[in-house]
Amino acid sequence: MCGIVGYIGNKDALPFLIEGLKNLEYRGYDSSGVGLITPDGGLQVRKEKGKIRCLEDLLAKDPVKKAHIGIAHTRWATHGAPCRKNSHPHTNSGGTIAVVHNGIIENYQSLKAGLIAKGVRFLSDTDTEVIGHLINEYFEGDLVKAVQRAIRDLTGAFAIGVISSDDPSTLVAARVGSPLIIGVGEGEYFIASDVPAIIRHTRRVIYLKDGEMAVLRSDGVEVMTFAGKKMPFTVDKVTFQMDAAQKQGYPHFMLKEIHEQPEVLRQMVALRLKGGHVTLDGLGISDRKLKSFTRIKVVACGTAYHAGLVGRYIIEELARVPVEVDVSSEFRYRSPIVDKRTLLIAVSQSGETADTLAAVREARARGASVVSICNVIGSSLARESAGVLYTHAGPEIGVASTKAYTAQLMMFYLLAIKLAEVHGGVDVKERVKFAKDLAAVPGLIREILKNAKHIARVARKHSHYGCFLYLGRNINYPSALEGALKLKEISYIPAEGYAAGEMKHGPIALIDEYRAVVCIAPQSDIYEKMISNIQEILSRKGKVIAIATEGDALIQQHATKVIYIPRTHKLLTPLLAIIPLQLLAYYIAVNRGCDVDQPRNLAKSVTVE
């Protein structure tokens, strides 16, 4: 959940660290801190509760000396409340070792008890503090060896950065289950949880693998196992542009990323769809093997789970292969029926979602083949999959996912067409026509975005409502779930998504004049049923916001407000319907004065269980 960054070189480390923290703040923003070793050998630590600006205010009042090596951290709290004492970096009792950590140390309580028995005094409530004390216990003049011995005692997931005033020319990094990259500059080196932290200074990165550690000095980098065995590594080049991680004049990253969706989807179509034929480079599975799968299982969390639900409808409709969708955190606890004839599709924007990784490992152990849909190249999920379908959506900084969701949807559409080719689900003419309609979607989304002012007006009129209900049917039932999630994530308004046919089985009791109900009702063979649902809502004084197809005049007789989307194939409507739902949530949150990009209690990627 947290973000870590480190620097070693011949320049002043602090500006690099603060800039890196700001670029990682989407990973956590309960507190932040820096630790630096000055040329005279002193370890300086400054940390503060709140966002990065609070740390900057502290540094202005209590500055640090210029240093050429340092580590920093922005926190999403797991163990211990957000406060200064629980902020990172954490140090040993003598104040000579500093540690920053992303992840959870599952056995910290037993480790802590053992250290306390030896007379060690703890100052925080965190699991991280045990790491610094353990390193100190093993330190005999060699920081690298001390870290190696300490991390062998740890159980859980972690990415760490460590410095010591007793070894002031060395920065040690290590990872198990949590992301960590090494940036390679000219006479300077970086560690970071994610590429945006360092992209302005280098495009050359080493993706550290699970069970590996890196030793950074001003003259080079070594990668090794925890046992000290030197490991070969490759230096990859990051391709996305720096401005992809900047706001570019938009008031929030979320709004920028909503507006980036047409281009992201256009590029995906241009890269992978030619006529009615789909090319899925990276799939890693032959057509013959694809045809041998008798069932497909999808595992994902949050927004990615909603994308998987849409994927189920598409694949079953086009390829006629049965699909089940599981919340990753539940999959491995229910003894899933998985074998060698099962294709498991794991979906994660970051590729570091802890529950999804655990589900993948469970499925692989039972014989399933795994393909992942992921945005981050070199992520843990990509490395643990037989094939990986990268969405190439670019960095998504806003915590509430927008372009990552539609990119995941697009990949499911492309995969469904591929599966239809292999399994012979729909005839060639129908498949080619569907592919042509799919290729037109980016342009249709641009048309919706041109109507953003109208959606902003609708949001303004409804931003005072204390509760929202989202209703959809069939392939747009997941759209209702995702629309409700977006609203509650960033506006903190209670919102629930339901299959519209379930309304009379309980949710109808919620409807009154104080309730806003968003009904997703594009033209389809179930349109009349949605109209019936809307009439039931109106008879109970509910305020209806309808998402409807352009040219539908009938809907205006029933809905309080209508937001139109262009006409398209009924299976493609989730790609269009989600755009006004994202904008509606965004403008409601803005009207309520909420922090849209960094909503409370949330972080971008959930890297701990």
Side-chain angles (χ1 to χ4, degrees):
M1 289 291 204
C2 308
I4 65 177
V5 62
Y7 173 86
I8 184 168
N10 52 20
K11 299 174 185 173
D12 186 3
L14 184 61
F16 290 100
L17 299 179
I18 295 298
E19 178 188 332
L21 288 182
K22 288 179 177 178
N23 289 334
L24 290 177
E25 199 167 17
Y26 61 91
R27 295 182 63 90
Y29 32 84
D30 293 332
S31 61
S32 59
V34 296
L36 305 106
I37 299 173
T38 59
D40 60 12
L43 174 61
Q44 305 177 97
V45 174
R46 302 287 187 275
K47 49 190 185 177
E48 187 60 278
K49 178 184 176 182
K51 297 188 178 181
I52 310 298
R53 62 176 178 268
C54 300
L55 175 62
E56 289 183 293
D57 291 343
L58 175 64
L59 286 166
K61 296 174 186 175
D62 186 12
V64 295
K65 295 179 182 178
K66 187 174 181 180
H68 302 305
I69 177 173
I71 52 178
H73 185 274
T74 182
R75 183 173 187 243
W76 186 86
T78 53
H79 294 72
C83 60
R84 182 181 288 184
K85 74 172 184 176
N86 290 332
S87 306
H88 299 217
H90 289 285
T91 64
N92 64 324
S93 299
T96 57
I97 296 168
V99 178
V100 290
H101 165 225
N102 171 36
I104 287 180
I105 306 304
E106 295 174 358
N107 62 333
Y108 86 99
Q109 289 180 321
S110 61
L111 294 172
K112 184 175 181 178
L115 289 163
I116 290 173
K118 293 181 179 181
V120 174
R121 180 169 172 259
F122 281 77
L123 301 178
S124 78
D125 304 316
T126 71
D127 55 336
T128 302
E129 192 179 354
V130 299
I131 303 173
H133 292 303
L134 275 177
I135 295 170
N136 184 64
E137 287 289 307
Y138 292 126
F139 187 80
E140 296 176 348
D142 188 324
L143 181 63
V144 176
K145 289 183 179 179
V147 172
Q148 286 173 336
R149 293 182 67 184
I151 58 183
R152 288 177 214 159
D153 293 344
L154 305 178
T155 301
F158 58 82
I160 61 172
V162 185
I163 57 174
S164 172
S165 57
D166 291 327
D167 194 350
S169 61
T170 303
L171 195 167
V172 181
R175 66 155 292 188
V176 171
S178 294
L180 195 65
I181 62 169
I182 310 300
V184 179
E186 297 297 331
E188 58 189 8
Y189 300 89
F190 310 82
I191 65 170
S193 296
D194 204 353
V195 171
I198 61 173
I199 187 64
R200 200 166 71 86
H201 305 290
T202 182
R203 291 183 173 277
R204 296 186 294 156
V205 300
I206 300 166
Y207 294 101
L208 208 60
K209 297 175 183 176
D210 256 9
E212 288 185 342
M213 60 187 295
V215 180
L216 288 69
R217 297 186 175 95
S218 58
D219 59 352
V221 175
E222 289 181 310
V223 176
M224 62 188 72
T225 66
F226 295 167
K229 180 184 176 181
K230 298 289 179 63
M231 298 297 291
F233 59 86
T234 58
V235 179
D236 294 307
K237 186 174 182 180
V238 177
T239 56
F240 72 76
Q241 299 300 312
M242 178 60 190
D243 60 3
Q246 304 298 320
K247 290 182 183 176
Q248 297 177 301
Y250 286 93
H252 299 96
F253 279 111
M254 183 178 178
L255 186 61
K256 169 181 172 280
E257 289 155 6
I258 289 172
H259 281 266
E260 287 176 341
Q261 291 174 110
E263 182 58 21
V264 169
L265 301 187
R266 185 199 67 78
Q267 290 181 7
M268 292 180 71
V269 168
L271 182 66
R272 299 184 180 272
L273 186 61
K274 305 294 181 186
H277 178 69
V278 171
T279 301
L280 293 179
D281 293 336
L283 182 61
I285 295 176
S286 68
D287 287 0
R288 182 177 180 180
K289 189 168 184 179
L290 270 182
K291 194 171 183 177
S292 73
F293 295 125
T294 57
R295 65 161 68 95
I296 295 172
K297 288 186 179 288
V298 180
V299 290
C301 301
T303 285
Y305 171 73
H306 298 155
L309 291 174
V310 176
R312 177 179 65 187
Y313 284 98
I314 307 161
I315 293 171
E316 291 189 342
E317 180 80 17
L318 297 183
R320 308 306 299 160
V321 180
V323 181
E324 295 178 10
V325 187
D326 272 278
V327 176
S328 298
S329 57
E330 293 295 323
F331 177 79
R332 62 189 169 123
Y333 295 117
R334 66 173 185 84
S335 189
I337 301 172
V338 172
D339 56 29
K340 64 181 181 180
R341 301 191 71 184
T342 303
L343 173 64
L344 185 104
I345 303 172
V347 192
S348 168
Q349 187 280 141
S350 68
E352 304 293 345
T353 308
D355 288 317
T356 300
L357 287 168
V360 163
R361 291 161 189 155
E362 177 73 17
R364 287 172 58 197
R366 293 170 180 259
S369 297
V370 177
V371 169
S372 58
I373 296 175
C374 182
N375 188 38
V376 179
I377 295 172
S379 64
S380 298
L381 181 60
R383 289 196 298 271
E384 296 202 25
S385 304
V388 55
L389 300 175
Y390 286 116
T391 54
H392 297 298
E396 187 177 66
I397 307 302
V399 167
S401 183
T402 52
K403 66 176 179 176
Y405 175 70
T406 51
Q408 289 163 357
L409 288 187
M410 178 60 79
M411 193 58 76
F412 269 114
Y413 283 104
L414 294 168
L415 180 58
I417 295 172
K418 176 67 175 179
L419 290 168
E421 290 180 33
V422 171
H423 285 271
V426 295
D427 64 49
V428 175
K429 287 185 178 179
E430 186 177 348
R431 192 173 72 239
V432 171
K433 173 63 168 61
F434 183 79
K436 184 178 180 181
D437 290 341
L438 181 63
V441 163
L444 300 181
I445 292 177
R446 285 193 178 90
E447 293 301 312
I448 298 171
L449 291 172
K450 291 178 182 178
N451 197 34
K453 288 184 178 180
H454 169 64
I455 299 170
R457 288 192 294 270
V458 173
R460 189 164 53 250
K461 289 181 179 294
H462 293 81
S463 59
H464 65 284
Y465 283 90
C467 204
F468 276 70
L469 191 63
Y470 286 70
L471 300 176
R473 278 181 177 265
N474 195 260
I475 199 168
N476 277 303
Y477 163 48
S479 301
L481 296 175
E482 177 62 12
L485 178 61
K486 286 284 102 43
L487 185 70
K488 55 191 167 190
E489 278 181 319
I490 62 172
S491 73
Y492 318 137
I493 297 174
E496 295 295 334
Y498 283 96
E502 289 293 294
M503 188 176 69
K504 290 189 287 291
H505 295 273
I508 198 168
L510 298 172
I511 295 171
D512 56 27
E513 65 268 34
Y514 307 108
R515 180 94 37 183
V517 185
V518 180
C519 295
I520 306 164
Q523 290 291 337
S524 70
D525 50 5
I526 54 168
Y527 173 75
E528 287 77 14
K529 294 185 181 295
M530 280 300 303
I531 291 296
S532 296
N533 291 135
I534 291 172
Q535 289 173 330
E536 291 166 345
I537 295 164
L538 291 175
S539 68
R540 288 157 180 84
K541 300 183 180 179
K543 309 301 180 186
V544 175
I545 302 170
I547 310 297
T549 303
E550 282 180 353
D552 180 3
L554 175 64
I555 197 81
Q556 294 184 4
Q557 300 175 24
H558 305 286
T560 311
K561 294 291 180 182
V562 180
I563 300 170
Y564 286 111
I565 60 174
R567 186 176 298 275
T568 189
H569 190 290
K570 65 179 183 180
L571 289 181
L572 297 175
T573 53
L575 279 167
L576 303 186
I578 193 57
I579 307 302
L581 297 178
Q582 292 171 350
L583 288 169
L584 189 66
Y586 170 79
Y587 286 117
I588 288 174
V590 169
N591 286 330
R592 292 170 69 92
C594 298
D595 190 338
V596 172
D597 285 336
Q598 297 173 351
R600 68 188 182 204
N601 302 333
L602 296 178
K604 186 63 184 173
S605 57
V606 183
T607 57
V608 293
E609 188 175 357

